[in-house]
Amino acid sequence: MSPIEKINKAELHRHLELCLRPDTIWELAPRFGISLKSQREFQERFMILEPMKDLGTVLNKFLDTQKLLATPEILERIAFEAAEDCYRNENLRIVEFRYSPTFVAMGHDMTFEQIHEAIVRGVRKAEEVYPMAVGLVCIIQRILPVKDAERVTDFAIANKDTFVGLDIADNEEGFDSKPFAPLFKRAAAAGLGITVHSGEAPNPKAASWVMDAIEVLGAQRIGHGVQIYRDEAVMKTVRDRKIPLELCLTSNMLTTAVPDLKEHPLKKLFDYGVLTTINTDDPGIFNTNLNREFRIAHQIQGLSHEELEKCSQIAAEHSFIPISKRRKVWPKELAR
Ligand SMILES: [Zn+2]
């Protein structure tokens, strides 16, 4: 194992729907009318390896993988495999997977309950086999009507013993945060952690959306938030209020949120004192894992091994998984 592989890791931002093993996709695809004939075809349909035009194009590419998430058996399997890969390949001890019940359910004959029970079975099985703590975050899709968001929030609250947090994802442009505020208030009151996808795409308003996420939605962590480096005042607020950013290097490069990996502001934000964590976002579709992201942070961004360990420790300390559960699997002291 290389020194980077050896680092005990914690990850806060990984979408379960986009963590499928290539072998599993090859096996499942023909069952759903997708016959794959070559590696090239597989890559074209299921992977994003070159920077895409914009976030919208990327989100569309997720739909082929979604077709495979069709039964509780498949969901249990992919949840187990995703957690197993984290432990065995990436030395992850603490990991939060997030998924969107409305996205998984689309076109499939499953209730939210059936979806969630299957996923919980998969991750609990992994926790029995490996010394790791796995948490699940429930995602609201910003692009759906608020009525759907209400249903998802109610579902997350009803299952607060098996969800650790609530998130809202999808494109921010043209989708105001404010209508969702009462939902996040209720979720927080029920004890769920709040994280919000915000400040991902390079829009002149991106930094102000991050402020809305914090002040209007009560975000305790920000999914991405990468664009705040353009606004010193917002950077200062995020730093002073100790709001961790769930940064995703390869993802940001492929969705063209940043021009390239060298220009990514991870190091700049870290040096400024912002709580930065390193994440994979969608490791299956982006062909990455946390070892690779750490290597990029080290080789291209210039973070030292100690700084990488610090990012890992920040993630471990700001996970929404109960601290008693995290302490059992994390080799260092946890301050929170
Ligand atoms: Zn994400």
Side-chain angles (χ1 to χ4, degrees), residues 41-94:
E41 196 185 340
F42 167 76
Q43 288 187 356
E44 270 168 15
R45 290 195 78 148
F46 291 100
M47 305 211 98
I48 296 168
L49 304 173
E50 299 282 332
M52 303 290 286
K53 277 208 308 281
D54 51 55
L55 193 58
T57 322
V58 173
L59 298 178
N60 272 333
K61 266 233 180 189
F62 296 168
L63 295 174
D64 268 342
T65 308
Q66 193 274 344
K67 288 194 188 106
L68 312 182
L69 309 174
T71 69
E73 293 70 30
I74 291 172
L75 291 173
E76 179 177 342
R77 171 184 174 178
I78 65 129
F80 175 77
E81 290 180 351
E84 182 175 60
D85 289 350
C86 284
Y87 182 79
R88 291 219 299 215
N89 304 340
E90 301 161 64
N91 203 19
L92 267 154
R93 302 304 178 100
I94 295 170

Side-chain angles (χ1 to χ4, degrees), residues 13 15 197 224 281:
H13 193 125
H15 293 260
H197 272 77
H224 297 287
D281 209 9

Side-chain angles (χ1 to χ4, degrees), residues 135-169:
L136 295 170
V137 173
C138 184
I139 303 182
I140 292 172
Q141 289 187 274
R142 210 185 313 253
I143 54 170
L144 295 183
V146 176
K147 225 171 170 34
D148 290 303
E150 273 168 17
R151 207 175 131 228
V152 172
T153 307
D154 290 341
F155 178 70
I157 292 172
N159 291 279
K160 62 181 181 179
D161 293 339
T162 43
F163 277 122
V164 298
L166 185 69
D167 175 27
I168 183 163

